[in-house]
Amino acid sequence: MTEGDVDPVGTGSPLPDPFELAARWLPEPDSGTTPLMTLSTIGLDGYPAARTVLLSRFDGRRLHFHTDRASSKAAELAATPRAAVTILWPERSRQLVVTGDVTTVTGQEARLAYTARTRYLQVLAWLNDHDLAELGPAERRARWAAFTQSHGGHELEPPPGWVGYAIDPVRLAFWSGATDAPSNRLLYERASDGRWTVRRRAG
């Protein structure tokens, strides 16, 4: 473990800046690794809504993700621009939960994120809509094959509905587990003056 990291038994000294710790846990921007995270929003019916999305980028303060403007999460964020994301590393017994306010990123930021996606995910952004979901498996595959054939060898532009969001955290909870000791959680919360408080909580 690195100095200041969250250890399973809670003996280390916590870092005062949660973003420094987040940077140690999250992959480097150019690592080619894109963690999955559970995005939780407030549904239009008032119930929580959760789904798995890719963490597109951590810019040192905000966590970015992308979707289609016609998606349910886009509608939910338009109504209530707040969300939480949960990132899990089972192999390291770690979990990071980030809660905060959500804003739309610039068109250029969204474009760069699209360019960094794999070809499969770029095509998926074009085709994965409600109309396609209503079709049978054979027709969905046929639509996919037709699109990839007609666009083969060409660089894809982001689809018109492609949009990016960033979460500006107000709370970060770092959890670390162990097999021979109690789990440990560091909870960072942002005060009204912008400073961060940190407390150890039960795992």
Side-chain angles (χ1 to χ4, degrees), residues 39-61:
L39 170 69
S40 300
T41 54
I42 301 173
L44 299 181
D45 59 1
Y47 287 95
R51 77 288 286 164
T52 301
V53 300
L54 285 175
L55 170 63
S56 298
R57 178 188 174 207
F58 173 59
D59 63 15
R61 181 179 180 86

Side-chain angles (χ1 to χ4, degrees), residues 52-72:
T52 301
V53 300
L54 285 175
L55 170 63
S56 298
R57 178 188 174 207
F58 173 59
D59 63 15
R61 181 179 180 86
R62 303 178 304 165
L63 283 77
H64 297 235
F65 62 93
H66 295 76
T67 188
D68 189 280
R69 291 185 189 276
S71 66
S72 59

Side-chain angles (χ1 to χ4, degrees), residues 21-195:
L21 182 53
R24 295 186 183 188
W25 280 33
L26 295 170
E28 295 290 335
D30 299 326
S31 67
T33 303
T34 51
L36 291 172
M37 58 186 186
T38 300
L39 170 69
S40 300
T41 54
I42 301 173
L44 299 181
D45 59 1
Y47 287 95
R51 77 288 286 164
T52 301
V53 300
L54 285 175
L55 170 63
S56 298
R57 178 188 174 207
F58 173 59
D59 63 15
R61 181 179 180 86
R62 303 178 304 165
L63 283 77
H64 297 235
F65 62 93
H66 295 76
T67 188
D68 189 280
R69 291 185 189 276
S71 66
S72 59
K73 51 187 170 294
E76 291 160 359
L77 291 170
T80 308
R82 294 178 175 177
V85 293
T86 303
I87 305 173
L88 180 65
W89 296 270
E91 71 284 357
R92 304 192 68 181
S93 295
R94 285 182 173 180
Q95 176 181 271
L96 171 60
V97 181
V98 180
T99 305
D101 302 303
V102 180
T103 55
T104 306
V105 304
T106 67
Q108 178 63 14
E109 287 177 307
R111 181 184 179 84
L112 289 173
Y114 182 83
T115 302
R117 296 277 168 112
T118 64
R119 184 72 173 188
Y120 171 82
L121 292 176
Q122 289 179 346
V123 174
L124 188 67
W126 274 96
L127 297 181
N128 195 26
D129 57 21
H130 300 308
D131 291 337
L132 188 70
E134 294 288 343
L135 303 177
E139 191 166 356
R140 290 202 302 271
R141 289 189 175 90
R143 291 274 187 94
W144 187 281
F147 183 92
T148 55
Q149 182 176 5
S150 63
H151 294 80
H154 299 291
E155 183 177 341
L156 291 177
E157 294 290 321
W162 179 256
V163 61
Y165 297 95
I167 301 178
D168 187 16
V170 298
R171 185 163 57 247
L172 300 94
F174 298 83
W175 176 90
S176 182
T179 58
D180 59 351
S183 56
N184 182 51
R185 190 186 309 270
L186 282 181
L187 178 62
Y188 291 84
E189 294 181 295
R190 192 175 69 195
S192 58
D193 61 3
R195 292 185 295 180

